[in-house]
């Protein structure tokens, strides 16, 4: 009887897998989680020993018609290739450039949090200088030079494109992963009320860790709830006049409802805050591709 | 059971009446001010008259005055530059501005012990100066008589700013930001031990009253509060929080109790990030030390009732960080 039971289980497993790969099962495949096939990307290590992933240029449906009003409408966006940090910026990275670490949950491997947008931009500059690259930000009004070779915060479009990792769905991570959400994200259900060291959870299909959960991530764009109604289709940058900048990705405090690649929030950038708090807020950096890097992407794409 | 604290009620006064009270008040006010491309320490009467410079040093910027409780000495921060690199250190001088010495290099946030024998301070965290006030590590004590410095026994002290030593001598209150397990808090630190207590007061920059029974601080950018401070050798808490001053638009910071506790002075000005605008100034939020914004100093009754009186008149001089000078120092 036991062997019959096992045989039945195996049979069901085989059938389900076959059905899945044949497209018969309508389970949502969300490449923001890693079990999907790894996509074309290349990993590099910077001069300051930080891992980045080279993301190829591409087009994707940005936003969601099933989320909050500021996520609508869904619109097609094209972004150029760029390099993005594999992990959220860590406290160890801050220590390496002697930048003050405002984080509450101290550990060199934990993400920086309680960070103002302008201090994240200052770190980008410090990191650029440390690696011999041109800083992107002038440090009075923090206007960004997108043509500079150094590090900056990702645009909202770059962030969502990287988080989607090829997925065209906007399913919440929890819906896509079911009970496995805890394997992919540090969130309210498993965080023990603090951040995780970066990279502890499984990456998405582009090898990026903690795009959802752990700390919410600052983006370059000013926050405009109506931006999608008039967003440019090519490399939108979210420029405008607002005290708020965009935050993406959810954090260790988020419920599964907020672990969505399309979810947007705005928060004041901290220009006038001496005592900025927010132990759910961090960031990761992006930069332009270096001269030799497009060839690496092309080589990866031809495999 | 909460034991109610008996509070002596004073009637609310008009600005004119307060001005009259301050005119008769014998103690003076020391503060920082930016004049002729230089941060200097100035002193004025309690009603804002009789302003004069205590320091007058070219290429040396004096900031953040802290007057000894016995009124005889002032410790302060001195900013100097060499090859464009800033150094901020703690200095000590007599209350009349004479006999200045450096007591702690690359250090900041000094405060006096209640018996005027020691100065507590923190050291800057990195070898390179950073203006952000919380970028500090450790706590140290300078003995005025022996000129020796010793370290606080708690090796975990980190990211403190705005120290204020309570009158009982046992506790130093401070703001902590991103350190010691706190995100941001006002804490009481045991002077001779390891105990640290979260006072559960939102805001920053506390200042205890000379009698040790009250504390004032900025609850947020726009509100100065005061509360009863209840300290024992082993415990610390606050009660009876009340608003002293509030503004919809202006930022209110750096409150300080007068020597007899009746008045509180504070700095007021527009908030926001200010670009460096002269030698010795920095680009940062306006309330930070060394940032030159259009600020002035105000006085109000410590119970918050009545109108405030503006003591300094020229906001171009960036008047901030008031500290009362008790009568004893005056000749």
């Amino acid at each position: 009887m036991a062997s019959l039971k096992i045989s039945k289980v195996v049979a069901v497993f085989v059938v389900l897998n076959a059905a899945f790969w044949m497209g018969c099962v309508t389970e949502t495949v969300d490449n923001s989680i890693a079990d999907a096939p790894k996509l074309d990307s290349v990993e590099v290590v910077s001069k300051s020993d930080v891992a980045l992933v080279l993301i190829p240029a591409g087009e994707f449906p940005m936003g969601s018609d099933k989320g909050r009003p500021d996520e609508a409408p869904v619109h097609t966006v094209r972004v150029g290739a760029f390099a993005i940090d594999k992990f959220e910026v860590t406290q160890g990275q801050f220590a390496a450039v002697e930048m003050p670490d405002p984080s509450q949950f101290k550990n060199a491997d934990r993400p920086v949090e309680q960070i103002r947008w302008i201090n994240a931009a200052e770190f980008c500059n410090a990191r650029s200088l440390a690696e011999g690259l041109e800083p992107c930000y002038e440090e009075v009004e923090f206007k960004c030079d997108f043509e500079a070779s150094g590090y900056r915060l990702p645009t909202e479009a770059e962030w969502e494109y990287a988080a989607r990792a090829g997925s065209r769905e906007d399913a919440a991570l929890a819906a896509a992963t079911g009970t496995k959400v805890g394997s992919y994200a540090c969130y309210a259900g498993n965080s023990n009320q603090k951040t995780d060291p970066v990279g502890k959870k499984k990456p998405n299909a582009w090898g990026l860790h903690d795009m959802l959960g752990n700390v919410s991530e600052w983006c370059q764009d000013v926050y405009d709830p109506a931006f999608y109604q008039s967003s440019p289709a090519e490399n939108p940058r979210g420029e405008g006049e607002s005290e708020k900048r965009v935050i993406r990705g959810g954090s260790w405090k988020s419920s599964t409802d907020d672990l969505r690649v399309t979810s947007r929030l705005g928060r004041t950038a901290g220009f006038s805050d001496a005592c900025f708090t927010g132990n759910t807020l961090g960031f990761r950096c992006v930069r332009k591709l270096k001269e030799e890097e497009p060839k690496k992407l092309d080589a990866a794409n031809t495999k | 059971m909460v034991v109610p604290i008996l509070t002596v009620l004073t009637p609310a006064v008009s600005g004119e009446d307060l001005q009259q009270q301050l005119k008769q008040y014998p103690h003076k006010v020391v503060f920082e001010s930016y004049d002729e491309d230089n941060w200097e320490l100035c002193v004025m009467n309690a009603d804002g008259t009789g302003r004069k410079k205590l320091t007058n040093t070219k290429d040396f910027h004096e900031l953040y005055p802290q007057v000894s409780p016995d009124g005889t000495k002032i410790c302060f921060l001195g900013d100097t530059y060499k090859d464009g690199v800033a150094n901020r250190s703690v200095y000590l001088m007599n209350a009349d501005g004479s006999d200045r010495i450096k007591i702690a290099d690359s250090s900041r946030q000094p405060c006096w012990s209640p018996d005027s024998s020691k100065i507590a301070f923190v050291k800057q965290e990195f070898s390179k100066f950073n203006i952000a006030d919380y970028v500090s590590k450790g706590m140290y004590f300078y003995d005025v008589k022996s000129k020796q410095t010793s370290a606080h026994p708690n090796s975990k002290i980190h990211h403190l700013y705005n120290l204020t030593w309570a009158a009982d001598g046992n506790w130093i209150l401070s703001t902590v930001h991103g350190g010691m397990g706190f995100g941001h808090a006002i804490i009481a630190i045991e002077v001779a031990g390891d105990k640290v207590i979260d006072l559960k007061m939102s805001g920053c920059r506390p200042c205890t009253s000379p009698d040790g029974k009250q504390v004032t601080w900025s609850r947020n950018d726009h509100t100065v509060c005061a509360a009863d401070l209840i300290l024992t050798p082993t415990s610390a808490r606050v009660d009876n929080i009340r608003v002293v001053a509030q503004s919809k638009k202006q930022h209110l910071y750096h409150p300080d109790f007068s020597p007899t506790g009746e008045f509180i002075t504070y700095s007021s000005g527009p908030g926001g990030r200010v670009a460096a605008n002269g030698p010795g100034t920095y680009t940062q939020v306006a309330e930070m030390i060394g940032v030159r914004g259009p600020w002035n100093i105000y006085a109000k009754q410590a119970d918050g009732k009545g109108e405030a009186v503006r003591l300094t008149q020229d906001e171009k001089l960036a008047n901030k960080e008031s500290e009362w000078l008790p009568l004893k120092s005056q000749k």
Side-chain angles (χ1 to χ4, degrees):
Chain A
M1 288 299 285
S3 61
L4 180 61
K5 195 172 180 181
I6 291 168
S7 296
K8 276 187 181 173
V9 168
V10 169
V12 166
F13 177 76
V14 169
V15 166
L16 271 179
N17 262 274
F20 173 80
W21 288 107
M22 288 162 55
C24 301
V25 175
T26 56
E27 179 181 327
T28 302
V29 178
D30 185 343
N31 284 353
S32 64
I33 57 170
D35 284 352
K38 196 155 189 316
L39 299 179
D40 297 328
S41 63
V42 174
E43 290 189 16
V44 297
V45 178
S46 74
K47 276 187 187 174
S48 46
D49 206 30
V50 175
L52 295 104
V53 175
L54 307 185
I55 306 290
E59 192 175 273
F60 72 104
M62 187 166 181
S64 170
D65 290 325
K66 298 177 212 164
R68 298 188 190 97
D70 63 355
E71 298 170 47
V74 177
H75 55 293
T76 301
V77 166
R78 179 160 186 82
V79 294
F82 60 98
I84 185 169
D85 283 343
K86 186 176 173 73
F87 307 102
E88 290 158 335
V89 171
T90 64
Q91 295 172 43
Q93 286 177 255
F94 261 53
V97 292
E98 287 198 339
M99 267 205 64
D101 173 16
S103 310
Q104 179 176 358
F105 309 118
K106 293 285 196 227
N107 184 283
D109 295 328
R110 284 201 150 97
V112 169
E113 20 90 5
Q114 290 211 132
I115 187 78
R116 297 188 283 168
W117 183 94
I118 57 170
N119 295 138
E122 283 177 338
F123 171 80
C124 290
N125 280 357
R127 183 178 168 187
S128 300
L129 290 170
E131 295 187 17
L133 301 172
E134 299 165 304
C136 289
Y137 296 97
E138 51 81 18
E139 291 188 6
V140 178
E141 294 182 7
F142 285 87
K143 295 199 186 310
C144 182
D145 178 3
F146 286 86
E147 300 311 310
S149 59
Y151 295 93
R152 57 172 172 81
L153 294 166
T155 64
E156 199 177 2
E158 287 167 339
W159 191 94
E160 185 170 324
Y161 179 57
R164 283 176 173 274
S167 170
R168 302 184 74 79
E169 302 288 338
D170 65 0
L173 178 65
T177 61
T179 56
K180 292 190 287 183
V181 65
S183 301
Y184 296 94
C186 172
Y187 74 110
N190 64 5
S191 66
N192 293 318
Q193 296 298 300
K194 56 186 172 186
T195 58
D196 265 353
V198 301
K200 201 173 157 189
K201 301 300 182 189
K202 290 183 179 180
N204 70 8
W206 264 330
L208 304 173
H209 293 261
D210 303 314
M211 291 299 286
L212 295 174
N214 217 14
V215 287
S216 300
E217 299 178 15
W218 284 114
C219 291
Q220 169 61 31
D221 305 37
V222 300
Y223 175 70
D224 174 3
F227 183 58
Y228 286 6
Q229 292 164 25
S230 57
S231 165
E234 188 94 12
N235 287 312
R237 290 176 178 173
E239 290 162 320
E241 297 295 325
S242 173
E243 287 187 1
K244 292 185 178 181
R245 300 276 173 162
V246 170
I247 297 166
R248 290 296 202 110
S251 73
W252 60 269
K253 222 174 189 178
S254 295
S255 68
T256 50
D257 288 343
D258 288 324
L259 296 179
R260 295 182 297 112
V261 293
T262 57
S263 179
R264 311 171 69 208
L265 284 175
R267 173 100 190 235
T268 53
F271 279 87
S272 59
D273 276 326
C275 310
F276 185 87
T277 57
N279 56 17
T280 57
L281 266 174
F283 69 107
R284 73 181 71 212
C285 303
V286 300
R287 60 165 172 75
K288 285 170 54 175
L289 296 191
K290 294 183 176 179
E291 209 176 288
E292 68 278 12
E293 286 172 343
K295 292 179 190 169
K296 290 183 184 176
L297 266 178
D298 286 343
N301 288 338
T302 57
K303 280 180 185 168
Chain B
M1 184 178 84
V2 174
V3 177
I5 304 288
L6 180 64
T7 309
V8 175
L9 299 176
T10 53
V13 295
S14 67
E16 280 179 10
D17 289 344
L18 180 57
Q19 188 80 35
Q20 283 304 311
Q21 287 185 30
L22 292 171
K23 198 173 179 181
Q24 324 242 336
Y25 200 61
H27 309 285
K28 293 184 188 287
V29 178
V30 180
F31 57 101
E32 69 185 36
S33 192
Y34 194 86
D35 194 6
E36 295 179 317
D37 286 345
N38 203 291
W39 288 104
E40 303 286 7
L41 299 184
C42 297
V43 63
M44 60 185 171
N45 297 322
D47 63 352
T49 60
R51 173 194 177 116
K52 64 178 184 182
K53 284 184 180 178
L54 261 183
T55 64
N56 192 3
T57 50
K58 195 173 180 304
D59 297 329
F60 188 107
H61 303 277
E62 290 90 353
L63 303 120
Y64 199 76
Q66 299 287 299
V67 180
S68 62
D70 64 7
T72 62
K73 293 192 186 298
I74 298 172
C75 67
F76 58 95
L77 297 179
D79 283 6
T80 54
Y81 296 83
K82 188 177 178 185
D83 301 325
V85 176
N87 174 280
R88 175 169 288 177
S89 296
V90 181
Y91 293 78
L92 178 63
M93 65 184 183
N94 293 326
D96 63 2
S98 64
D99 293 340
R100 164 192 308 216
I101 58 170
K102 181 196 268 194
I103 65 166
D105 186 64
S106 299
S107 301
R108 50 180 74 184
Q109 313 286 346
C111 75
W112 285 92
S113 63
D115 63 0
S116 303
S117 69
K118 291 186 175 59
I119 297 167
F121 61 92
V122 296
K123 289 191 178 175
Q124 72 185 33
E125 184 171 13
F126 301 114
S127 54
K128 185 180 166 189
F129 172 72
N130 188 302
I131 191 188
D133 35 24
Y134 73 89
V135 186
S136 72
K137 64 177 180 184
M139 188 191 297
Y140 300 84
F141 302 107
Y142 174 83
D143 187 291
V144 174
K145 193 172 178 183
S146 70
K147 297 183 170 49
Q148 298 299 307
T149 297
S150 58
H152 191 288
N154 187 341
S155 59
K156 294 180 182 168
I157 287 178
H158 186 219
H159 280 190
L160 300 184
Y161 64 102
N162 265 103
L163 277 58
T164 178
W165 205 319
D168 71 347
N170 297 321
W171 299 95
I172 288 175
L173 276 61
S174 177
T175 319
V176 60
H177 187 76
M180 302 171 70
F182 296 99
H184 183 89
I186 296 176
I187 57 177
I189 300 164
E190 196 177 16
V191 170
D194 284 343
K195 193 168 278 191
V196 175
I197 296 176
D198 182 356
L199 292 173
K200 301 198 189 310
M201 300 151 60
S202 56
C204 59
R205 305 173 196 273
C207 176
T208 53
S209 60
D211 67 2
K213 294 179 181 174
Q214 297 185 80
V215 59
T216 181
W217 75 104
S218 290
R219 187 170 67 185
N220 53 47
D221 285 338
H222 304 283
T223 310
V224 169
C225 283
D228 299 333
L229 182 61
I230 300 130
L231 301 175
T232 72
T234 55
S235 68
R237 65 182 180 91
V238 298
D239 200 0
N240 188 25
I241 294 174
R242 60 258 182 201
V243 173
V244 173
Q246 210 161 30
S247 171
K248 283 183 183 172
K249 287 188 179 176
Q250 300 289 80
H251 283 213
L252 310 182
Y253 275 105
H254 325 128
D256 190 59
F257 278 100
S258 62
T260 51
E262 294 157 77
F263 309 111
I264 286 176
T265 49
Y266 56 90
S267 314
S268 172
R273 192 172 170 86
V274 182
N277 50 15
T281 67
Y282 301 87
T283 299
Q284 252 296 353
V285 291
E287 56 264 27
M288 281 197 191
I289 302 166
V291 181
R292 181 188 169 203
W295 283 47
N296 272 312
I297 293 167
Y298 289 73
K300 208 170 176 201
Q301 279 187 181
D303 63 5
K305 293 179 181 173
E307 296 174 2
V309 167
R310 192 165 83 177
L311 301 185
T312 58
Q313 303 305 323
D314 189 349
E315 61 186 27
K316 289 195 295 295
L317 298 178
N319 307 290
K320 291 192 300 186
E321 300 281 5
S322 58
E323 174 81 355
W324 284 86
L325 180 61
L327 178 63
K328 287 177 187 175
S329 68
Q330 295 161 43
K331 295 175 183 173

